[in-house]
């Protein structure tokens, strides 16, 4: 779970590779930078670095090795930050091609987390690798705001549900490290072949109620405070758009988690062209449909409305702050 730090940490994750998570994370970071915030975009896909290409960096000067061979980097990580060419946006690569890069130990995971906590920025946007490995899930849980990216395909939806479940169970597990009964219940629920296909939170609650009922209130607090955001990528029609609402309902029904549907991004040539050109689509064509979509995601995530016009090679940006419910009465 998140701890106090000077910047707001936003993690972008997903249970399946190839859903466009890195593209969403990059353009979301760009959008936040255009609002005037100082933003650091972090490549958190250990062992499979490619995020740098999306912000026009061909060969990152720093990477995985620099985190673990230089003393004091947690106290001042600024030398690792690289310019992106966009005002207010810097890039940090945590990955590399060294053997074992993807399998960092607990000590090195903690070092990276300290680096992220100590970054001098308004916002830190972390693009995580796919899957539910412990270090990936732990980085996701480190964040103040979590965003899960899925596509409308059934396999991606299933993986997204399982990702959210794994993150929730990991939160509970970390909170009750010394409680053997709860650890056993979590292990039981994560192995459906030997546990009656336990995938609902109420099944987990029932098992804990039998063995350690005094812990139920704290577990329910963890569930109540977990509210990940959801973005559906590569949308092609109204049916795909509705997948987000459906997935949020499934997460509520089976996990009792209130997920927020932040929005969607359409499948388009503008996105593919921006990847090929190594220019975020929000910068390349702020009037495009994907750019409109990412601004809506930003609005729902941060309660800010970003308006952009590109004219004669210059970008004109205006910002509106939306009042939260109850403030505008």
């Amino acid at each position: 779970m998140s701890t106090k730090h000077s910047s707001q940490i936003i993690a972008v994750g997903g249970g399946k590779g190839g859903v466009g998570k890195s593209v969403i994370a990059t353009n979301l970071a760009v959008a936040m930078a255009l609002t005037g915030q100082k933003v650091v975009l972090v490549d958190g896909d250990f062992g499979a670095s490619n995020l740098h290409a999306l912000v026009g960096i061909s060969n990152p000067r720093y990477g995985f090795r620099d985190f673990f061979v230089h003393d004091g980097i947690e106290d001042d990580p600024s030398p690792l930050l690289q310019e992106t060419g966009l005002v207010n946006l810097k890039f940090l690569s945590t990955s590399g091609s060294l053997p074992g890069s993807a399998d960092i130990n607990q000590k090195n995971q903690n070092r990276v987390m300290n680096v992220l906590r100590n970054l001098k920025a308004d916002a830190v946007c972390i693009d995580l690798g796919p899957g539910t490995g412990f270090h990936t899930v732990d980085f996701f849980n480190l964040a103040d705001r979590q965003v899960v990216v899925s596509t409308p395909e059934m396999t991606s939806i299933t993986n997204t549900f399982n990702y959210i479940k794994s993150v929730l169970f990991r939160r509970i597990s970390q909170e009750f490290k010394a409680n053997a009964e709860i650890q056993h219940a979590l292990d039981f629920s994560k192995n459906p072949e030997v546990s009656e296909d336990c995938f609902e939170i109420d099944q987990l609650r029932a098992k804990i109620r039998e063995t350690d009922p005094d812990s139920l209130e704290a577990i329910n607090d963890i569930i109540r405070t977990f509210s990940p955001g959801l973005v559906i990528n590569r949308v092609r029609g109204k049916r795909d758009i509705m997948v987000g609402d459906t997935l949020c309902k499934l997460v509520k029904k089976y996990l009792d988690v209130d997920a927020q549907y932040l929005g969607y991004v359409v499948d388009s040539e503008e996105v593919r062209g921006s990847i090929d050109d190594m220019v975020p689509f929000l910068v390349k064509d702020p009037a495009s449909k994907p750019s409109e979509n990412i601004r809506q995601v930003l609005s729902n995530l941060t309660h800010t409305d970003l308006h952009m016009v590109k004219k004669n090679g210059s970008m004109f940006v205006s910002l509106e702050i939306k009042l939260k419910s109850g403030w505008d009465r």
Side-chain angles (χ1 to χ4, degrees), residues 114-188:
N114 285 332
V115 167
L116 298 178
R117 292 188 185 103
N118 291 329
L119 287 171
K120 293 179 174 59
D122 297 312
V124 175
C125 185
I126 313 171
D127 172 38
L128 294 171
T132 55
F134 281 151
H135 71 259
T136 300
V137 172
D138 286 345
F139 280 108
F140 192 79
N141 275 328
L142 171 72
D144 305 287
R145 294 299 310 270
Q146 294 100 356
V147 178
V148 187
V149 179
S150 178
T151 59
E153 289 76 22
M154 183 55 64
T155 53
S156 183
I157 295 168
T158 301
N159 276 282
T160 301
F161 175 88
N162 289 331
Y163 185 86
I164 294 172
K165 173 193 167 186
S166 296
V167 170
L168 175 61
F169 284 177
R170 180 64 170 172
R171 282 182 165 223
I172 297 171
S173 175
Q174 291 294 85
E175 189 69 22
F176 293 92
K177 286 182 180 179
N179 190 315
E181 295 291 348
I182 291 179
Q183 294 299 322
H184 176 71
L186 288 166
D187 289 340
F188 202 63

Side-chain angles (χ1 to χ4, degrees), residues 4-127:
K4 287 188 176 181
H5 32 257
S6 59
S7 57
Q8 181 184 50
I9 298 179
I10 299 170
V12 181
K16 187 175 184 291
V19 296
K21 179 176 46 56
S22 296
V23 174
I24 300 297
T26 298
N27 284 275
L28 188 58
V30 169
M32 288 188 290
L34 288 171
T35 68
Q37 297 183 74
K38 296 185 182 301
V39 181
V40 177
L41 175 63
V42 179
D43 187 344
D45 190 352
F46 293 87
S49 175
N50 61 13
L51 188 65
H52 54 273
L54 298 182
V55 289
I57 299 174
S58 299
N59 296 297
R61 291 174 296 152
Y62 305 108
F64 185 89
R65 179 184 294 275
D66 299 275
F67 272 88
F68 309 130
V69 300
H70 296 302
D71 294 331
I73 205 68
E74 293 96 329
D75 299 323
D76 182 20
S78 58
L80 300 183
L81 301 182
Q82 300 176 67
E83 299 292 340
T84 64
L86 186 68
V87 175
N88 296 328
L89 181 64
K90 294 188 177 182
F91 175 74
L92 176 59
S93 176
T94 60
S95 53
S97 57
L98 293 174
S101 293
D103 301 317
I104 61 173
N105 57 34
Q106 189 64 47
K107 177 183 176 181
N108 283 338
Q109 174 178 304
N110 291 339
R111 292 192 68 186
V112 176
M113 285 183 169
N114 285 332
V115 167
L116 298 178
R117 292 188 185 103
N118 291 329
L119 287 171
K120 293 179 174 59
D122 297 312
V124 175
C125 185
I126 313 171
D127 172 38

Side-chain angles (χ1 to χ4, degrees), residues 227-269:
S227 182
L230 175 67
V231 175
I232 303 298
N233 192 30
R234 296 177 187 156
V235 163
R236 297 183 179 180
K238 291 184 178 180
R239 181 177 294 182
D240 289 350
I241 294 174
M242 294 172 62
V243 166
D245 290 321
T246 301
L247 187 47
C248 286
K249 290 176 182 177
L250 288 173
V251 169
K252 180 62 177 178
K253 178 179 179 180
Y254 293 111
L255 301 178
D256 199 20
V257 166
D258 291 312
Q260 180 187 6
Y261 188 13
L262 298 174
Y264 60 89
V265 177
V266 298
D267 188 25
S268 69
E269 288 298 330

Side-chain angles (χ1 to χ4, degrees), residues 22 47 79 135 138 157 159 161 173 188 197 205 209 218 254 270 291 294-295 303 316 321 328:
S22 296
H135 71 259
D138 286 345
I157 295 168
N159 276 282
F161 175 88
S173 175
F188 202 63
D197 196 21
R205 283 172 170 149
R209 190 177 292 113
Y254 293 111
E270 286 94 341
S291 295
I294 208 71
R295 291 199 301 272
H303 303 287
F316 300 91
I321 308 298
D328 51 354

